[in-house]
Amino acid sequence: MLKSEIRKLYKSKRMLLSEQDIDEQSLKISWQLEHWLSGKYINFLHTFLPIKRQREINTFIVIERLRKLFPSIKIGISHTNFAEKTLSHFLLEEHSPLQEDEWGIPQVLDKQPFLIEKAEIILVPLLAFDNEGFRVGYGAGFYDRLLSQCPQAKRVGLSFFPPLPQLIEDTDNYDIPLHICISPEEIFTFSQTI
């Protein structure tokens, strides 16, 4: 399937999820992530915050549990500049005030810089992914550009759904594959990226 077809299909699938479904599945994803992190220690993690109207994974649940697991963890999030097609990175403190932008993306109001080159793990949003670790997002390429700048970080996708039954047909050299992808039921590891 082509990215455009996958994007349309998986946006529709997510719209069928209730808020309760999203929170329950997000908690299961958090448990899987904690299992994967067992025995590891992380200081710097970058994540996305959920766009509620897009029915994204509730990463607030994930963040809350990670803070308990790693009390000194520094968590970064991005602010998106759509006009310049760039991301800026800021620290998300436990009680940082947030405000949604016009696209529904939560943004921190107290903008303390987060050094993206320190990120050990980047939690990556996606609509769908295949068995080679390639993902389909919203199509703007923000995260592929970010991931290409962070070779030091483990690229961890979070998905409500298992991998696509077939490979994404139209990947290109700009598509950066994930190292792993975590679903509510399973952790998928991609051999070519480890």
Side-chain angles (χ1 to χ4, degrees):
M1 282 178 84
L2 299 173
K3 290 178 188 174
S4 58
E5 299 168 316
I6 295 166
R7 194 170 288 123
K8 184 176 178 182
L9 174 63
Y10 278 80
K11 277 186 175 182
S12 298
K13 287 177 80 155
R14 280 211 316 216
M15 287 302 149
L16 298 174
L17 299 172
S18 69
E19 280 190 38
Q20 183 178 345
D21 292 334
I22 289 169
D23 285 350
E24 288 174 359
Q25 297 305 308
S26 297
L27 181 58
K28 288 181 180 180
I29 287 168
S30 184
W31 291 340
Q32 293 284 7
L33 177 61
E34 290 170 47
H35 175 72
W36 180 71
L37 288 170
S38 178
K40 299 178 176 77
Y41 192 85
I42 52 170
N43 295 299
F44 295 92
L45 175 133
H46 185 280
T47 187
F48 61 98
L49 295 181
I51 305 172
K52 287 186 179 179
R53 64 185 181 215
Q54 295 286 356
R55 304 279 208 284
E56 288 189 334
I57 289 161
N58 185 349
T59 50
F60 289 113
I61 291 172
V62 177
I63 291 165
E64 182 182 347
R65 294 182 65 84
L66 284 173
R67 287 192 193 282
K68 288 178 182 168
L69 198 60
F70 305 112
S72 63
I73 193 171
K74 301 289 185 209
I75 295 176
I77 62 165
S78 296
H79 286 199
T80 306
N81 183 325
F82 286 94
E84 296 179 15
K85 296 191 175 185
T86 59
L87 295 174
S88 302
H89 311 287
F90 299 101
L91 192 62
L92 178 69
E93 300 278 16
E94 195 165 355
H95 301 291
S96 292
L98 297 170
Q99 182 176 19
E100 288 185 3
D101 67 13
E102 61 190 285
W103 294 277
I105 305 170
Q107 309 282 299
V108 290
L109 297 178
D110 53 342
K111 297 182 179 178
Q112 301 174 59
F114 176 85
L115 299 176
I116 193 63
E117 59 271 12
K118 288 192 171 187
E120 297 153 275
I121 294 172
I122 298 177
L123 300 183
V124 184
L126 54 87
L127 287 160
F129 69 102
D130 69 18
N131 281 306
E132 290 187 350
F134 289 100
R135 56 181 270 282
V136 174
Y138 295 119
F142 286 104
Y143 267 83
D144 286 314
R145 286 191 291 279
L146 169 64
L147 296 175
S148 70
Q149 297 164 7
C150 300
Q152 81 288 350
K154 286 285 185 201
R155 304 181 295 268
V156 179
L158 304 180
S159 178
F160 286 128
F161 308 108
L164 293 160
Q166 69 283 326
L167 297 181
I168 300 164
E169 292 176 26
D170 53 341
T171 56
D172 58 37
N173 292 336
Y174 297 105
D175 291 312
I176 307 294
L178 302 167
H179 290 114
I180 70 166
C181 194
I182 297 175
S183 76
E185 308 303 331
E186 195 170 345
I187 299 172
F188 300 89
T189 303
F190 307 108
S191 58
Q192 81 282 3
T193 60
I194 295 296

